[in-house]
Amino acid sequence: MATTALAEVMAELAGLEDPKAREVNARHGDDHAVHLGALRALAKRLKTQHDLACQLWATGETAARLLAILICRPRAFGRDELDAMVREARTPKVHDWLVNYVVKKSPHSEELRLAWFADPNPVVASAGWALTTERVTKKPESLDLPGLLDVIETEMKDAPDRLQWAMNHCLAQIGIAHAAHRARAIDIGERLEVLKDYPTSPGCTSPFAPVWIGEMVRRAG
């Protein structure tokens, strides 16, 4: 896309900024001021434009990167590009969207899962755990579920926040999707007490693994 097109989109993003949205996002570690609904509406209008997406990502601005994720072509990114993008994602929302909307759709996702899983950077490692959780749910063949539970049991309690959250999600999904490992998953959650006191809005399910597992199994009948 021409540079003018990038400038026009950046100007439109600036016009969508709302100080109240910035305050809310800041509480979650994000630094943009555009409502996600407005971002999605703009992405719907722009449709897929991979070159523009790359230019938006290169600005380094959070709102621009979120928009880039929505209009890119996930399969067009190379393995090394995705690795670099995860390492420079910076904010939680960009990281989450990048992993869920782009990396999971990439032909390089399994290779990256294995590379990131034990990365010394806990945020990068959390991406590896997120991809592993996807496999636990949708493609568990060849995964060592008891081995995953061993790692979670040993490391989750003292893991940095975002890595801990990703490991806890994996623990819950093992318990939800695999009845043979459910009792052990619940036992690990109860003993470690990770996220036991996490504030949960009325009507929402607690991220505390034993409660999460129990509720999802109950819903499934």
Side-chain angles (χ1 to χ4, degrees):
M1 297 296 292
T3 303
T4 51
L6 174 64
E8 289 168 5
V9 174
M10 292 300 292
E12 186 162 357
L13 285 172
L16 291 171
E17 290 188 355
D18 178 350
K20 291 183 179 179
R22 187 182 298 281
E23 289 179 15
V24 172
N25 291 329
R27 296 183 204 133
H28 303 286
D30 289 305
D31 60 0
H32 69 97
V34 181
H35 291 282
L36 298 183
L39 266 179
R40 293 184 185 278
L42 177 54
K44 185 176 181 180
R45 197 179 82 236
L46 291 171
K47 299 184 172 62
T48 301
Q49 295 191 49
H50 191 74
D51 289 343
L52 176 58
C54 291
Q55 292 186 37
L56 287 165
W57 182 272
T59 67
E61 295 191 14
T62 296
R65 285 185 163 181
L66 292 172
L67 180 60
I69 290 166
L70 294 175
I71 68 170
C72 74
R73 189 173 292 107
R75 298 181 71 84
F77 290 114
R79 184 254 188 229
D80 291 344
E81 284 182 290
L82 291 173
D83 182 71
M85 290 167 76
V86 162
R87 293 178 189 281
E88 66 185 29
R90 198 168 52 78
T91 67
K93 184 63 70 177
V94 171
H95 174 89
D96 290 345
W97 279 23
L98 180 62
V99 172
N100 286 294
Y101 298 166
V102 180
V103 180
K104 285 182 179 180
K105 298 177 182 178
S106 166
H108 308 291
S109 62
E110 179 62 10
E111 181 184 355
L112 289 168
R113 181 186 78 83
L114 295 171
W116 290 339
F117 187 76
D119 195 279
N121 182 325
V123 176
V124 175
S126 75
W129 277 92
L131 295 174
T132 299
T133 301
E134 176 90 348
R135 280 206 51 192
V136 164
T137 305
K138 297 182 178 180
K139 195 178 179 182
E141 300 81 9
S142 80
L143 282 182
D144 178 8
L145 297 179
L148 286 174
L149 290 173
D150 288 344
V151 176
I152 291 168
E153 187 172 21
T154 303
E155 301 180 11
M156 182 173 72
K157 181 75 171 180
D158 298 317
D161 287 350
R162 287 168 67 181
L163 177 55
Q164 184 184 72
W165 188 276
M167 294 174 79
N168 183 72
H169 189 185
C170 190
L171 174 65
Q173 286 304 132
I174 291 173
I176 292 164
H178 301 279
H181 301 285
R182 186 169 298 148
R184 186 182 175 200
I186 291 172
D187 177 66
I188 290 171
E190 288 176 342
R191 283 188 290 104
L192 299 186
E193 298 187 332
V194 168
L195 301 176
K196 183 176 182 179
D197 299 320
Y198 190 85
T200 305
S201 301
C204 295
T205 302
S206 168
F208 179 47
V211 174
W212 191 352
I213 293 167
E215 177 60 17
M216 292 301 104
V217 171
R218 183 192 68 77
R219 291 184 191 180

